[in-house]
Amino acid sequence: MNVDNRVIAITGGARGLGLAMAERLGSKGARVALLDTHRDTLDKAVASLSERGIQAKGFVVDVSDEASVIEGFAAIKGELGPVSGCVNNAGITDDAMLVKAKEGEIEKRMSLSGWQRVIDVNLTGAFLCGREAATQMIEANHAGVIVNISSISKAGNMGQSNYAAAKAGIHALSVTWGKELARYNIRAATVAPGFVATEMTAAMRPDMLERIKQSVPLKDLGEPCHIAQSVAFVFENDYFTARIIECDGGLRL
Ligand code: NAD
């Protein structure tokens, strides 16, 4: 797909990887709709994109809330036109061990609320936004691309039962949608980043971060632009669907 003048929705687009994707796709002429939870961060992101000559608009949406997603996508369609692309990038972590014990005594367990919140945002959010995006693409009778942002943690990672399950699940959505939606000329694929320098990783303990860097074959964190490049590849390659790009410097968990 040539993204020039196409409307592309990017969830969690106000900062980090989502904003880098908006820059990349916007610099190729896409009109980007950023969906995020706070008006002030959206406004800042839109201003920074506008300075670079990129057409962008911010929409306050909680991707885990069905009504909010339906309303948000309706607003995008009303203000920019039906979407041709959707990047399901919004994501959170809430790490905890399933069960933590010391000398046979249970100290802590992952709470149901901690499990549910991560599943709601990272997995249900992608389902809800993917459903609205595909609906608009089919109704407009134009080609579409949906990119789901997974993670290296999809393979299973200590302390991340909720996140790993959601990130494995989001790739299963890409495979399913790639098969289901091909008849409507809609492609769906996954990009799974490794560890990338964003606010999400800046919140990690420095010694842990250093250990991670040393375990990456390329000996460094990725940059947001590397992930944005992978997302742009999915848009541009018309024979790529139901598959995954692992952009992780060669690291395997
Ligand atoms: P980030 O925390 O910097 O940005 C995430 C954005 O999502 C924020 O702007 C946040 O406000 C938004 N968001 C959170 N909950 C939302 C909701 N309910 N509705 C709408 N927006 C919401 O994170 P990031 O590092 O840019 O990560 C982006 C994606 O990439 C996430 O899905 C993350 O799991 C994935 N990822 C990141 C890394 C990394 O190293 N940074 C690695 C692998 C995967």
Side-chain angles (χ1 to χ4, degrees):
M1 173 184 284
N2 177 351
V3 300
D4 189 27
N5 210 30
R6 311 276 179 151
V7 179
I8 299 178
I10 303 173
T11 72
R15 70 174 200 192
L17 302 186
L19 184 54
M21 294 166 199
E23 281 172 17
R24 182 103 195 169
L25 296 168
S27 69
K28 292 169 182 284
R31 293 180 287 138
V32 291
L34 308 181
L35 288 69
D36 215 302
T37 46
H38 291 96
R39 175 49 64 194
D40 51 339
T41 49
L42 276 169
D43 286 347
K44 255 192 249 165
V46 167
S48 79
L49 292 169
S50 300
E51 271 172 30
R52 294 159 195 241
I54 293 168
Q55 286 189 63
K57 234 179 157 98
F59 297 84
V60 177
V61 170
D62 175 354
V63 297
S64 66
D65 180 305
E66 184 180 28
S68 174
V69 170
I70 290 174
E71 206 177 295
F73 273 82
I76 295 170
K77 186 178 169 187
E79 293 180 38
L80 300 173
V83 298
S84 295
C86 174
V87 186
N88 287 313
N89 162 77
I92 57 168
T93 54
D94 189 354
D95 294 357
M97 300 297 266
L98 179 68
V99 181
K100 197 171 177 198
K102 204 171 179 185
E103 290 160 11
E105 293 290 320
I106 304 295
E107 286 185 333
K108 237 180 141 188
R109 306 194 314 160
M110 179 177 276
S111 67
L112 177 59
S113 60
W115 162 267
Q116 196 63 55
R117 181 79 194 129
V118 171
I119 295 291
D120 285 350
V121 174
N122 297 15
L123 185 58
T124 307
F127 157 70
L128 292 171
C129 294
R131 191 179 60 172
E132 289 316 299
T135 301
Q136 288 191 8
M137 292 163 186
I138 293 168
E139 283 177 350
N141 194 24
H142 64 207
V145 177
I146 299 172
V147 185
N148 291 321
I149 304 303
S150 177
S151 162
I152 191 168
S153 294
K154 74 181 181 337
N157 195 23
M158 297 261 291
Q160 292 196 310
S161 295
N162 47 9
Y163 188 77
K167 293 300 189 182
I170 204 175
H171 176 52
L173 292 181
S174 299
V175 177
T176 304
W177 296 348
K179 292 176 177 176
E180 281 187 12
L181 301 174
R183 73 193 67 176
Y184 306 111
N185 204 10
I186 297 169
R187 295 184 292 108
T190 305
V191 172
F195 291 92
V196 186
T198 64
E199 289 178 48
M200 194 181 245
T201 40
M204 294 170 86
R205 267 194 359 235
D207 58 318
M208 229 166 110
L209 209 54
E210 195 46 44
R211 258 211 313 275
I212 289 169
K213 274 189 200 175
Q214 289 317 312
S215 63
V216 178
L218 290 179
K219 298 286 177 229
D220 207 351
L221 301 180
E223 292 296 328
C225 66
H226 295 129
I227 307 307
Q229 229 176 330
S230 304
V231 170
F233 172 85
V234 175
F235 273 90
E236 284 162 11
N237 189 324
D238 290 325
Y239 199 57
F240 195 82
T241 199
R243 293 293 175 264
I244 187 164
I245 297 176
E246 296 177 300
C247 187
D248 50 25
L251 180 65
R252 274 270 182 279
L253 291 180

